[in-house]
Amino acid sequence: MVQIVLIPTAEQISELRKLFFEKLDKEGPPTTCAGGFHPNDIERVEKVDIWLQRFLEQNDLDMKASLKQLWDTCEWRQTFGTNDITESSINMDYVNVGDCFPRNHDIEGKMMLIYRSVLHVKGKRDTKELIRIFVYWIERMYRNNNFDPITILFDLADCGLKNLDMDYTINVVNILKSYYPNAVNYILIYDMPWMFAAGIKIIKSLLPPKAVSTMKFIDSKNIGEYITSECMMRSWGGLDDYTFHFEPEALSKQVHFANFSPPESPMSDQLGNNSFSERTDGAMLQINPQDAILFTKSGNELVGMVEITNIIQAPVTYKIKTTSPEKFRVRPSTGILAPGANAVINVVLQQGHQVPVLSKDKFLVMCMELSSDASTTSHDIAELWKNTSTNSSQVEQHRLKCWTPTSTHLPGDTVRNGTLFTNSLEGDRQASHFTSTVTQLVTTTNRLESQMKFQQTLQWVTLVVILLLSVAIVYILKMEIKNANGEYCTSMHRN
């Protein structure tokens, strides 16, 4: 079933914002919120359109229902202490068990939160603290992906009843349903034991129909429909041999960006490699896709596209940087967007570069609002960016990774003179290996089928023999009884 998401207009987002503050002015915050709503959440309502958009999407643009959920969410965030949950206030012994952590992306570029349920034993840890850790991860992912939906994967391989914790799971489901609207891209359930079926049925009953439609049951056969092999754990049959270790958010690895090379970009400033802080509130630009540029074949080239949309009522200038300016051709790499306008950015892999290492490259889309009297000539825009620090509070930043479908290339593929060249020797070797593997599988399957048919035939023959023996035994017993009775009667007659 295709899930249809109604996208709210800027006017509807503004209306929801206005209704929230009118309600706040008229009624004041709930009595449960000591000191009122948290200032961070008030600022979110004031400035972050994408957050309000999620409430409207969740409620199919129903303004009354969206306002209620937004209000309830702000109340819950204050009473739960959501804004105050940091790595210094959660139980790190629990975190280091490694049963819950963010890692990689699904096939649509959405961040994944992975549960290795076999490491969770019901009753061994405090449920309330586990819920706080779950909220910490969700908030941290939101800070890094601009409120983009995430995929939650429950790895149930090797799990038993001791790992089934319905209290914890129901709490997680209710929090997602009530306070993180339209937050889930997929709920992937990997290798579910049959004994969990009743629990899954209960969870489905708690979810709205939209969320139920995102629940997918996967195993080693179909996991590739949702996750590329590069993003699959080794235990799922993928290439990622990651072992969990906690990385503090404040010390997480920063990405260094450089400008595009002058021949392919109108930007003349040479800032070199710099580290940038990351603003992901999405107050000015809407990015599609939000997390990653997907490179696909277009003729003989590998091409990625990004659509950017100005979502404020003022002109915005944008500029794009990358970690590897020598690899990519981007058009346009800078420009101006009028209110509501959009632009499609084309990124092409340059000649002579390895295709498989694209996943290591990253892009930075920056933007800032232009004043009404600002000059919009190319020279003045270039000077504006040259004289504005990338760490300025006026600059909004969106980070994008690079992804290629596994079917796009083989190891050793390169782009030369604008043409994608595959490593034919490697391709022939892999094709030969693939053919050999398929042949072996077919032979093994045929042998197993023959053995199964033989076993079935043997079982039927055995059953028939047993039945015949049973009939023979019964017949012999009857004859023996009859003969015994006859001899007894003859003996009595003689006497």
Side-chain angles (χ1 to χ4, degrees), residues 172-282:
V172 165
V173 168
N174 284 331
I175 286 174
L176 283 173
K177 177 179 69 173
S178 302
Y179 310 122
Y180 289 94
N182 206 27
V184 176
N185 191 45
Y186 287 118
I187 300 173
L188 301 179
I189 301 173
Y190 180 80
D191 206 7
M192 186 189 78
W194 65 268
M195 64 189 72
F196 280 33
I200 295 297
K201 188 173 182 180
I202 294 172
I203 292 169
K204 280 187 173 181
S205 69
L206 298 174
L207 292 170
K210 283 185 181 180
V212 172
S213 68
T214 68
M215 186 178 290
K216 309 295 179 183
F217 295 89
I218 61 175
D219 53 28
S220 58
K221 296 178 182 178
N222 66 342
I223 189 173
E225 297 176 16
Y226 302 96
I227 309 171
T228 63
S229 58
E230 291 87 353
C231 291
M232 286 184 210
M233 296 294 187
R234 282 282 175 85
S235 58
W236 309 334
L239 303 176
D240 188 2
D241 58 357
Y242 174 75
T243 300
F244 173 75
H245 62 278
F246 181 79
E247 188 175 353
E249 188 173 13
L251 301 178
S252 59
K253 182 174 69 176
Q254 294 197 0
V255 179
H256 297 275
F257 292 89
N259 289 317
F260 284 102
S261 53
E264 297 300 336
S265 170
M267 295 184 288
S268 59
D269 53 320
Q270 296 295 322
L271 298 179
N273 290 340
N274 294 280
S275 296
F276 300 109
S277 60
E278 183 175 10
R279 278 185 59 192
T280 57
D281 51 16

Side-chain angles (χ1 to χ4, degrees), residues 421-439:
F421 286 85
T422 61
N423 184 336
S424 58
L425 180 62
E426 177 69 9
D428 291 342
R429 186 188 68 78
Q430 289 196 7
S432 177
H433 176 69
F434 177 79
T435 302
S436 176
T437 302
V438 170
T439 302

Side-chain angles (χ1 to χ4, degrees), residues 30-44:
T31 55
T32 54
C33 297
F37 291 133
H38 197 283
N40 289 357
D41 296 329
I42 293 296
E43 185 176 11
R44 268 194 190 182

